[in-house]
Amino acid sequence: MNKKTFTLGIFGGGQLGKFLVQSAKKLNIRTFVFTDSIDSPAIYHSDDFIISNYKNKKKLDFFIKNIDLATFEFENIPFQTLDYVEKKITVSPKPSIIRILQDRLKEKNFLNSIGIKTTEFYYLKKVNKRKINNSFFPAFVKTTRFGYDGKGQIFFKDKKNFLKYSFKNNEYIIEKLVNFKKEISIVISRNKSKTVAFDAFENLHKHQILQKSKIPANISRKLNNEAKEISKKIIDKLNYIGTMCVEFFVTKENKLLVNEIAPRVHNSGHLTLNAYNVSQFENHIRAVCNLKLKKPKRIYQATMYNILGFDIEKYRSKNITKNEFFYDYGKKEIKDKRKMGHLTKII
Ligand code: AMP
């Protein structure tokens, strides 16, 4: 590859990577995708790609030699890989931040240490399981790392079932069930000089997987601004460069609890592709490349529906109206609950 122009390296080749690549192209930025899966939608759009295990040093060296900067579309890249790459080239956002946000325990401790409220939790290694009060249940046990879309989570209705369960190791937290009114998320981007955020997306999950997101969220302006302020505090304290998503529970008392932070562009922000003057993907590229961020302006009301597993086949033959935008990620293998595409309806 001829290194004639600025090239952005992206770890991960899923749909988030695909949208990042397309946004980079719009900004005349070359892209080079490094993915460990042959079934990676992003590789059909990027200028170059490597399909390899993330720990293959030879392949990593070639990748590093041919890019100017690295970013990623998902956070579960092995630490060893990010550390290795960072020794030779800038990785944005910084791997040291990802170490915090990849781990539910570290993330919650960080948030609580800066005065931000999360769900009540215990670290199973540090607590006598028998001493957890009955009133703490129902509760979710979650692995501290590598969980997403409900993976690595077990729900316990009561303490009896919890005590009967034998856990493989103690790298879990137990989290009290929040009887929330709704869920919202804030997608926020930061470069070296500025931070910009979208207004809240209102999210509905089914079996812990995002089903749909809509804008505007049906919450007060005050709550929307509060969620944005909390997100700004988080991104500033972390000195984070790039785009992140802060997911919140809105309690019955209209209080905000941070559920988790995704250190990347996020599924709930897909509707920004069609309903805003700028997408979350473009602002991520702008942030990591230190280009001017665009202040988000909403153009339409919109709802985004995730298309999972074999449902994609129905959509492939559906008539799409002019107010609908259908995205087929082009994944080769259809699997139950796999995110295969999404549809955004604008009003
Ligand atoms: P997570 O992967 O932790 O974001 O969980 C995915 C989804 O599961 C959340 O968006 C909620 O819909 C649900 N969930 C997870 N933890 C809790 C909790 N402590 N209380 C209520 N719902 C939860």
Side-chain angles (χ1 to χ4, degrees):
M1 189 177 68
N2 229 341
K3 197 168 161 183
K4 280 193 185 135
T5 49
F6 184 90
T7 303
L8 177 65
I10 301 174
F11 281 106
Q15 62 274 14
L16 300 177
K18 171 177 166 176
F19 293 129
L20 286 172
V21 162
Q22 290 175 329
S23 294
K25 202 170 260 178
K26 237 180 77 184
L27 297 167
N28 287 322
I29 292 170
R30 288 177 51 80
T31 50
F32 193 157
V33 165
F34 194 119
T35 172
D36 68 350
S37 161
I38 198 159
D39 196 3
S40 288
I43 63 175
Y44 303 105
H45 304 267
S46 60
D47 295 284
D48 281 288
F49 64 88
I50 287 176
I51 301 172
S52 156
N53 182 297
Y54 286 119
K55 292 180 185 164
N56 183 325
K57 289 211 167 120
K58 250 190 167 161
K59 296 278 170 36
L60 283 173
D61 285 338
F62 182 77
F63 183 60
I64 294 164
K65 226 169 81 190
N66 288 289
I67 59 174
D68 295 273
L69 178 80
T71 189
F72 43 85
E73 59 121 40
F74 82 115
E75 62 274 35
N76 289 330
I77 314 275
F79 287 149
Q80 298 97 307
T81 304
L82 293 177
D83 287 347
Y84 185 75
V85 177
E86 200 190 23
K87 283 199 186 101
K88 306 189 176 188
I89 201 162
T90 306
V91 181
S92 236
K94 266 182 175 310
S96 56
I97 305 175
I98 306 314
R99 277 179 190 268
I100 303 172
L101 304 184
Q102 244 188 15
D103 184 305
R104 288 184 193 274
L105 177 70
K106 290 197 176 93
E107 178 177 287
K108 284 189 201 307
N109 285 339
F110 158 72
L111 288 167
N112 294 162
S113 77
I114 60 165
I116 291 172
K117 291 206 167 65
T118 59
T119 51
E120 283 178 56
F121 71 97
Y122 294 104
Y123 180 30
L124 284 193
K125 210 180 220 167
K126 289 282 159 70
V127 70
N128 178 342
K129 295 186 181 70
R130 301 200 169 273
K131 287 205 171 143
I132 300 176
N133 264 335
N134 281 329
S135 63
F136 192 80
F137 292 85
F140 286 92
V141 170
K142 302 181 178 180
T143 51
T144 52
R145 294 187 56 202
F146 300 121
Y148 65 96
D149 286 346
K151 292 189 178 91
Q153 301 193 8
I154 316 163
F155 179 70
F156 291 99
K157 229 170 54 201
D158 51 43
K159 184 167 166 180
K160 213 171 93 200
N161 284 319
F162 168 68
L163 290 178
K164 268 201 267 171
Y165 197 90
S166 83
F167 294 98
K168 263 197 252 121
N169 56 52
N170 274 327
E171 289 309 316
Y172 296 93
I173 56 162
I174 183 162
E175 207 180 277
K176 196 176 166 74
L177 174 98
V178 181
N179 217 339
F180 55 78
K181 192 155 90 177
K182 59 181 70 198
E183 291 186 86
I184 60 165
S185 56
I186 297 288
V187 169
I188 183 163
S189 308
R190 182 172 179 273
N191 65 9
K192 286 184 182 147
S193 49
K194 206 177 163 183
T195 304
V196 295
F198 293 92
D199 282 331
F201 308 119
E202 182 170 335
N203 305 323
L204 191 76
H205 290 80
K206 201 172 160 190
H207 308 304
Q208 285 130 310
I209 302 178
L210 184 69
Q211 191 179 30
K212 63 177 181 176
S213 294
K214 72 163 189 168
I215 47 166
N218 190 11
I219 54 172
S220 66
R221 187 115 296 269
K222 184 167 164 270
L223 205 63
N224 179 62
N225 290 342
E226 207 180 299
K228 283 169 98 171
E229 272 160 33
I230 292 172
S231 305
K232 181 160 176 12
K233 183 169 177 183
I234 296 170
I235 207 166
D236 283 345
K237 286 272 182 203
L238 288 169
N239 202 6
Y240 180 105
I241 303 291
T243 293
M244 64 156 63
C245 175
V246 185
E247 296 180 60
F248 295 89
F249 295 128
V250 180
T251 68
K252 296 266 188 297
E253 300 77 33
N254 271 331
K255 295 272 179 278
L256 292 171
L257 298 177
V258 172
N259 170 27
E260 65 173 352
I261 302 168
R264 51 171 169 79
V265 284
H266 191 254
N267 195 171
S268 61
H270 283 2
L271 40 67
T272 61
L273 283 167
N274 313 103
Y276 267 91
N277 63 325
V278 63
S279 74
Q280 61 164 351
F281 306 100
E282 182 176 335
N283 263 349
H284 179 72
I285 303 288
R286 286 177 174 276
V288 296
C289 298
N290 207 28
L291 302 173
K292 203 165 174 255
L293 294 174
K294 278 199 186 163
K295 194 171 165 17
K297 284 197 194 84
R298 184 167 62 77
I299 303 165
Y300 304 108
Q301 297 188 19
T303 306
M304 187 270 332
Y305 302 85
N306 264 342
I307 305 170
L308 305 181
F310 288 90
D311 278 357
I312 192 73
E313 289 177 341
K314 281 186 267 166
Y315 281 87
R316 281 178 181 155
S317 53
K318 181 182 174 307
N319 268 340
I320 305 296
T321 68
K322 70 175 189 345
N323 290 337
E324 293 177 332
F325 299 88
F326 170 50
Y327 293 87
D328 184 342
Y329 302 150
K331 293 178 183 172
K332 291 200 180 79
E333 193 188 353
I334 306 181
K335 277 193 278 193
D336 188 36
K337 294 189 185 152
R338 189 176 195 198
K339 288 176 180 164
M340 300 300 298
H342 75 264
L343 181 93
T344 297
K345 282 187 189 176
I346 56 164
I347 306 174

